[in-house]
Amino acid sequence: MLWNKWIQFYFHLPIIVRLLLSVCLIMTSFGFIIHILEPIHFPTTFDGIWWAFVTGSTVGYGDYVPLSNIGKIIGIILILAGGGLVTFYMATLSAGTIKHEKSLTEGKISFKGSGHIILIGWNERTKQLIRMMKDKQMKTDIVLIDHSLNKLSYRNNMIHFIHGQPPLMKYYQKQILKRLII
């Protein structure tokens, strides 16, 4: 019962957190195992964990090395498993960052801040207004809502872009259409 709750909790975590937890658990396990197998060369559990992280990430300082055959086999398994896990972790982190930046550029991420300025529609006046605010060095966040733009680089403009029309705009458009029909 408790195990099922743990599994459920684990798989509801973001993938980057799951990967980090998995890497830490595996490295800690290998560190504990090498400390048990070779207590003279790895006098503390922390020394074993240190070795596991250094070896698993393929840094390999060489300050701790297993001397027995079983210890070397554990090291080989750790290099194979750890190198793959650490590489997968870094690739996932990089891919997530790139995906988030792409979503920001395409206006697919909602703004969760407060105390911001909302600009509706992208045109020359909007560009001029943004330039003026930048020149005045205003610290207020700017949110642009526009349905005609497909992309707006966050890095170049430092404003939060949301692709689409504001909800009230749709409401007012419907109201105007109703009045025109009646």
Side-chain angles (χ1 to χ4, degrees):
M1 182 83 142
L2 186 60
W3 179 251
N4 288 339
K5 287 190 183 269
W6 169 250
I7 295 293
Q8 210 171 30
F9 169 75
Y10 178 79
F11 282 103
H12 279 90
L13 293 172
I15 191 165
I16 198 73
V17 175
R18 281 188 279 152
L19 281 170
L20 184 60
L21 285 173
S22 298
V23 167
C24 288
L25 179 67
I26 288 171
M27 298 300 176
T28 302
S29 299
F30 273 95
F32 184 73
I33 290 168
I34 200 69
H35 167 67
I36 297 297
L37 290 175
E38 296 194 18
I40 295 170
H41 297 100
F42 298 91
T44 67
T45 304
F46 184 76
D47 290 334
I49 293 170
W50 169 256
W51 168 80
F53 271 94
V54 168
T55 303
S57 63
T58 66
V59 173
Y61 291 129
D63 49 353
Y64 292 101
V65 292
L67 298 178
S68 68
N69 286 337
I70 189 75
K72 290 176 182 178
I73 290 170
I74 295 294
I76 290 169
I77 294 169
L78 176 60
I79 290 168
L80 293 174
L85 266 175
V86 171
T87 302
F88 186 63
Y89 174 74
M90 296 312 266
T92 302
L93 182 64
S94 300
T97 302
I98 290 168
K99 181 181 177 187
H100 183 75
E101 187 172 325
K102 183 177 183 236
S103 294
L104 267 175
T105 300
E106 293 174 351
K108 294 179 179 177
I109 296 179
S110 62
F111 184 79
K112 297 195 172 69
S114 61
H116 53 281
I117 295 172
I118 299 174
L119 301 175
I120 299 173
W122 181 251
N123 55 38
E124 286 304 313
R125 285 186 180 180
T126 308
K127 291 178 193 176
Q128 187 179 24
L129 184 60
I130 291 169
R131 245 183 273 120
M132 287 171 44
M133 286 191 268
K134 284 181 183 177
D135 290 344
K136 299 267 185 204
Q137 297 179 349
M138 293 180 64
K139 302 276 188 222
T140 307
D141 289 324
I142 301 170
V143 177
L144 171 69
I145 303 173
D146 185 81
H147 68 282
S148 64
L149 282 176
N150 291 324
K151 294 180 180 181
L152 185 65
S153 173
Y154 181 79
R155 273 192 279 160
N156 296 341
N157 295 291
M158 297 304 285
I159 60 175
H160 189 92
F161 168 56
I162 299 174
H163 184 264
Q165 290 184 337
L168 287 177
M169 188 72 100
K170 292 177 187 175
Y171 170 77
Y172 287 123
Q173 285 175 343
K174 286 180 184 177
Q175 295 302 317
I176 291 169
L177 283 174
K178 281 182 186 176
R179 288 184 185 158
L180 289 174
I181 294 172
I182 295 176

Coordinates of all heavy atoms in Angstrom, one line a residue, residues 55-107:
T55 N 32.7 8.5 -10.4 CA 32.8 7.5 -11.4 C 31.6 7.4 -12.3 O 31.7 7.3 -13.5 CB 33.0 6.1 -10.7 OG1 34.1 6.2 -9.8 CG2 33.2 5.0 -11.7
G56 N 30.4 7.5 -11.7 CA 29.2 7.5 -12.5 C 29.0 8.6 -13.5 O 28.4 8.5 -14.5
S57 N 29.6 9.8 -13.1 CA 29.5 10.9 -14.0 C 30.7 10.9 -15.0 O 30.9 11.8 -15.8 CB 29.5 12.2 -13.2 OG 30.7 12.4 -12.5
T58 N 31.5 9.9 -14.9 CA 32.7 9.7 -15.8 C 33.8 10.8 -15.6 O 34.6 11.0 -16.5 CB 32.4 9.5 -17.3 OG1 31.9 10.7 -17.8 CG2 31.4 8.3 -17.5
V59 N 33.8 11.4 -14.4 CA 34.8 12.4 -14.2 C 36.1 11.6 -13.8 O 37.2 11.9 -14.3 CB 34.4 13.4 -13.0 CG1 35.6 14.2 -12.6 CG2 33.3 14.2 -13.5
G60 N 36.0 10.7 -12.8 CA 37.1 9.8 -12.5 C 38.3 10.5 -12.0 O 39.3 10.4 -12.6
Y61 N 38.3 11.1 -10.8 CA 39.4 11.7 -10.2 C 40.5 10.7 -9.9 O 41.7 11.0 -9.9 CB 39.1 12.5 -8.9 CG 38.3 13.7 -9.2 CD1 37.1 14.0 -8.5 CD2 38.6 14.7 -10.2 CE1 36.3 15.1 -8.8 CE2 37.9 15.8 -10.4 CZ 36.7 16.0 -9.7 OH 36.0 17.1 -9.9
G62 N 40.2 9.5 -9.5 CA 41.2 8.5 -9.1 C 41.6 8.6 -7.7 O 42.5 7.8 -7.3
D63 N 40.9 9.4 -6.9 CA 41.3 9.5 -5.4 C 40.8 8.2 -4.7 O 41.4 7.8 -3.7 CB 40.8 10.7 -4.8 CG 39.3 11.0 -5.0 OD1 38.7 10.3 -5.8 OD2 38.8 12.0 -4.4
Y64 N 39.8 7.6 -5.2 CA 39.3 6.3 -4.6 C 39.1 5.4 -5.8 O 38.5 5.7 -6.8 CB 38.0 6.5 -3.9 CG 38.0 7.3 -2.6 CD1 37.6 8.6 -2.6 CD2 38.5 6.7 -1.5 CE1 37.7 9.4 -1.5 CE2 38.6 7.5 -0.3 CZ 38.2 8.8 -0.3 OH 38.3 9.5 0.8
V65 N 39.7 4.2 -5.7 CA 39.5 3.2 -6.7 C 39.3 1.8 -6.0 O 40.0 1.5 -5.0 CB 40.7 3.1 -7.7 CG1 40.8 4.3 -8.5 CG2 42.0 2.8 -6.9
P66 N 38.4 1.0 -6.6 CA 38.3 -0.4 -6.0 C 39.5 -1.2 -6.4 O 40.0 -1.1 -7.5 CB 37.0 -0.9 -6.7 CG 36.8 0.0 -7.9 CD 37.5 1.3 -7.6
L67 N 39.9 -2.1 -5.5 CA 41.0 -3.0 -5.7 C 40.7 -4.4 -6.0 O 41.4 -5.1 -6.6 CB 42.0 -2.8 -4.6 CG 42.6 -1.4 -4.4 CD1 43.6 -1.4 -3.2 CD2 43.3 -0.9 -5.6
S68 N 39.5 -4.8 -5.4 CA 39.1 -6.2 -5.6 C 38.4 -6.4 -7.0 O 38.0 -5.4 -7.6 CB 38.2 -6.6 -4.5 OG 36.9 -6.0 -4.6
N69 N 38.4 -7.6 -7.4 CA 37.7 -7.9 -8.7 C 36.2 -7.5 -8.6 O 35.7 -7.0 -9.6 CB 37.9 -9.3 -9.1 CG 39.3 -9.6 -9.6 OD1 40.0 -8.7 -10.0 ND2 39.8 -10.8 -9.5
I70 N 35.6 -7.9 -7.6 CA 34.2 -7.6 -7.4 C 33.9 -6.1 -7.4 O 33.0 -5.6 -7.9 CB 33.5 -8.3 -6.2 CG1 32.0 -8.2 -6.2 CG2 34.0 -7.8 -4.9 CD1 31.3 -9.0 -7.2
G71 N 34.8 -5.4 -6.7 CA 34.8 -3.9 -6.7 C 34.9 -3.3 -8.1 O 34.2 -2.4 -8.4
K72 N 35.8 -3.9 -8.9 CA 36.0 -3.4 -10.2 C 34.8 -3.7 -11.1 O 34.4 -2.9 -11.9 CB 37.3 -4.0 -10.8 CG 38.6 -3.5 -10.2 CD 39.8 -4.2 -10.7 CE 41.0 -3.7 -10.0 NZ 42.3 -4.3 -10.4
I73 N 34.2 -4.8 -10.9 CA 33.0 -5.2 -11.6 C 31.9 -4.2 -11.3 O 31.1 -3.7 -12.2 CB 32.5 -6.6 -11.4 CG1 33.5 -7.6 -12.0 CG2 31.1 -6.9 -11.9 CD1 33.4 -9.0 -11.7
I74 N 31.7 -3.9 -10.0 CA 30.8 -2.9 -9.5 C 31.1 -1.5 -10.2 O 30.2 -0.8 -10.7 CB 30.8 -2.7 -8.0 CG1 30.3 -4.0 -7.3 CG2 29.9 -1.5 -7.5 CD1 28.8 -4.4 -7.6
G75 N 32.3 -1.2 -10.3 CA 32.8 0.1 -11.0 C 32.4 0.1 -12.4 O 31.9 1.1 -13.0
I76 N 32.6 -1.0 -13.1 CA 32.2 -1.1 -14.5 C 30.7 -0.9 -14.7 O 30.3 -0.2 -15.6 CB 32.7 -2.5 -15.1 CG1 34.2 -2.5 -15.2 CG2 32.0 -2.7 -16.5 CD1 34.8 -3.9 -15.6
I77 N 29.9 -1.6 -13.9 CA 28.5 -1.5 -14.0 C 28.1 0.0 -13.7 O 27.2 0.5 -14.4 CB 27.8 -2.4 -13.0 CG1 28.0 -3.9 -13.4 CG2 26.3 -2.1 -12.9 CD1 27.6 -4.9 -12.4
L78 N 28.7 0.6 -12.7 CA 28.4 2.0 -12.4 C 28.8 2.9 -13.6 O 28.0 3.8 -13.9 CB 29.2 2.4 -11.1 CG 29.1 3.9 -10.7 CD1 27.6 4.2 -10.5 CD2 29.9 4.2 -9.5
I79 N 29.9 2.7 -14.2 CA 30.3 3.5 -15.3 C 29.2 3.4 -16.5 O 28.8 4.4 -17.0 CB 31.7 3.2 -15.8 CG1 32.7 3.6 -14.8 CG2 31.9 3.8 -17.2 CD1 34.1 3.1 -15.1
L80 N 28.8 2.2 -16.7 CA 27.8 2.0 -17.8 C 26.5 2.6 -17.4 O 25.9 3.3 -18.2 CB 27.7 0.5 -18.1 CG 28.9 -0.2 -18.7 CD1 28.7 -1.7 -18.8 CD2 29.2 0.4 -20.1
A81 N 26.0 2.3 -16.2 CA 24.7 2.8 -15.8 C 24.8 4.3 -15.5 O 23.9 5.1 -16.0 CB 24.2 2.1 -14.5
G82 N 25.8 4.7 -14.8 CA 25.9 6.1 -14.4 C 26.1 7.1 -15.6 O 25.5 8.1 -15.7
G83 N 27.0 6.7 -16.5 CA 27.2 7.5 -17.7 C 26.0 7.7 -18.5 O 25.7 8.8 -18.9
G84 N 25.2 6.7 -18.7 CA 24.0 6.8 -19.4 C 22.9 7.6 -18.7 O 22.3 8.4 -19.3
L85 N 22.8 7.4 -17.4 CA 21.8 8.2 -16.6 C 22.2 9.6 -16.5 O 21.3 10.5 -16.7 CB 21.8 7.6 -15.2 CG 20.7 6.6 -14.9 CD1 20.8 6.1 -13.5 CD2 19.3 7.1 -15.1
V86 N 23.4 9.9 -16.3 CA 23.8 11.4 -16.2 C 23.7 12.0 -17.6 O 23.2 13.2 -17.6 CB 25.3 11.5 -15.7 CG1 25.8 12.9 -15.8 CG2 25.4 11.0 -14.2
T87 N 24.0 11.3 -18.6 CA 23.9 11.9 -20.0 C 22.4 12.1 -20.3 O 22.0 13.1 -20.8 CB 24.5 10.9 -21.0 OG1 25.9 10.8 -20.7 CG2 24.4 11.5 -22.4
F88 N 21.6 11.1 -19.9 CA 20.1 11.3 -20.1 C 19.6 12.4 -19.3 O 18.7 13.2 -19.8 CB 19.4 9.9 -19.8 CG 18.0 9.9 -20.1 CD1 17.6 10.0 -21.4 CD2 17.0 9.8 -19.1 CE1 16.2 10.0 -21.8 CE2 15.7 9.8 -19.4 CZ 15.3 9.9 -20.8
Y89 N 20.0 12.6 -18.1 CA 19.6 13.7 -17.2 C 19.9 15.0 -17.9 O 19.1 15.9 -18.0 CB 20.2 13.5 -15.9 CG 19.9 14.7 -14.9 CD1 18.7 14.8 -14.4 CD2 20.9 15.6 -14.7 CE1 18.4 15.9 -13.5 CE2 20.6 16.7 -13.8 CZ 19.4 16.8 -13.2 OH 19.1 17.9 -12.4
M90 N 21.1 15.2 -18.3 CA 21.6 16.4 -19.0 C 20.8 16.7 -20.3 O 20.4 17.8 -20.5 CB 23.1 16.4 -19.2 CG 23.9 16.4 -17.9 SD 23.3 17.6 -16.7 CE 24.4 18.9 -17.0
A91 N 20.6 15.6 -21.1 CA 19.9 15.8 -22.3 C 18.4 16.2 -22.1 O 17.9 17.1 -22.7 CB 19.9 14.5 -23.1
T92 N 17.8 15.6 -21.0 CA 16.4 15.9 -20.7 C 16.3 17.4 -20.2 O 15.4 18.1 -20.5 CB 15.9 15.0 -19.6 OG1 16.0 13.6 -20.2 CG2 14.5 15.3 -19.3
L93 N 17.3 17.8 -19.4 CA 17.3 19.1 -18.9 C 17.5 20.1 -20.0 O 16.7 21.1 -20.1 CB 18.5 19.3 -17.9 CG 18.6 20.7 -17.2 CD1 17.4 21.0 -16.3 CD2 19.9 20.7 -16.3
S94 N 18.4 19.8 -20.9 CA 18.6 20.7 -22.1 C 17.3 20.8 -23.0 O 16.9 21.9 -23.4 CB 19.8 20.2 -22.9 OG 20.9 20.2 -22.1
A95 N 16.8 19.6 -23.3 CA 15.6 19.6 -24.1 C 14.4 20.3 -23.5 O 13.7 21.0 -24.2 CB 15.2 18.1 -24.4
G96 N 14.3 20.2 -22.2 CA 13.2 20.9 -21.4 C 13.4 22.4 -21.5 O 12.4 23.2 -21.7
T97 N 14.6 22.8 -21.4 CA 14.9 24.3 -21.4 C 14.6 24.8 -22.8 O 14.0 25.9 -23.0 CB 16.4 24.5 -21.1 OG1 16.6 24.0 -19.8 CG2 16.7 26.0 -21.1
I98 N 15.0 24.1 -23.9 CA 14.8 24.5 -25.2 C 13.3 24.5 -25.5 O 12.8 25.5 -26.2 CB 15.5 23.7 -26.2 CG1 17.0 23.9 -26.1 CG2 15.1 23.9 -27.7 CD1 17.9 22.9 -26.8
K99 N 12.6 23.5 -25.1 CA 11.1 23.5 -25.3 C 10.4 24.6 -24.6 O 9.5 25.2 -25.2 CB 10.6 22.1 -24.8 CG 9.1 22.0 -25.0 CD 8.6 20.6 -24.4 CE 7.1 20.6 -24.6 NZ 6.5 19.4 -23.9
H100 N 10.8 25.0 -23.4 CA 10.2 26.1 -22.7 C 10.5 27.4 -23.4 O 9.6 28.2 -23.5 CB 10.8 26.1 -21.2 CG 10.1 27.2 -20.4 ND1 8.8 27.1 -19.9 CD2 10.6 28.4 -20.0 CE1 8.5 28.2 -19.2 NE2 9.6 29.0 -19.3
E101 N 11.7 27.6 -23.9 CA 12.0 28.8 -24.6 C 11.2 28.9 -25.9 O 10.7 30.0 -26.2 CB 13.5 28.9 -24.9 CG 13.9 30.2 -25.5 CD 15.4 30.4 -25.6 OE1 16.1 29.9 -24.7 OE2 15.8 31.1 -26.6
K102 N 11.0 27.8 -26.6 CA 10.2 27.8 -27.8 C 8.8 28.1 -27.5 O 8.1 28.9 -28.2 CB 10.3 26.4 -28.5 CG 9.6 26.3 -29.8 CD 9.8 25.0 -30.4 CE 9.1 24.9 -31.8 NZ 8.2 23.9 -32.0
S103 N 8.2 27.5 -26.4 CA 6.9 27.8 -26.0 C 6.7 29.3 -25.6 O 5.7 29.9 -25.9 CB 6.4 26.9 -24.8 OG 6.4 25.6 -25.2
L104 N 7.7 29.9 -25.0 CA 7.6 31.3 -24.7 C 7.6 32.1 -25.9 O 6.8 33.1 -26.1 CB 8.9 31.7 -23.8 CG 8.8 31.7 -22.3 CD1 10.1 32.0 -21.7 CD2 7.7 32.6 -21.8
T105 N 8.5 31.8 -26.9 CA 8.6 32.5 -28.2 C 7.3 32.4 -28.9 O 6.8 33.4 -29.6 CB 9.7 32.0 -29.0 OG1 10.9 32.2 -28.2 CG2 9.9 32.7 -30.3
E106 N 6.6 31.3 -28.9 CA 5.3 31.1 -29.6 C 4.1 31.5 -28.8 O 3.0 31.4 -29.3 CB 5.2 29.6 -30.0 CG 6.3 29.1 -31.0 CD 6.2 27.6 -31.3 OE1 5.5 26.9 -30.5 OE2 7.0 27.2 -32.1
G107 N 4.3 32.1 -27.7 CA 3.2 32.6 -26.9 C 2.3 31.6 -26.3 O 1.1 31.8 -26.1

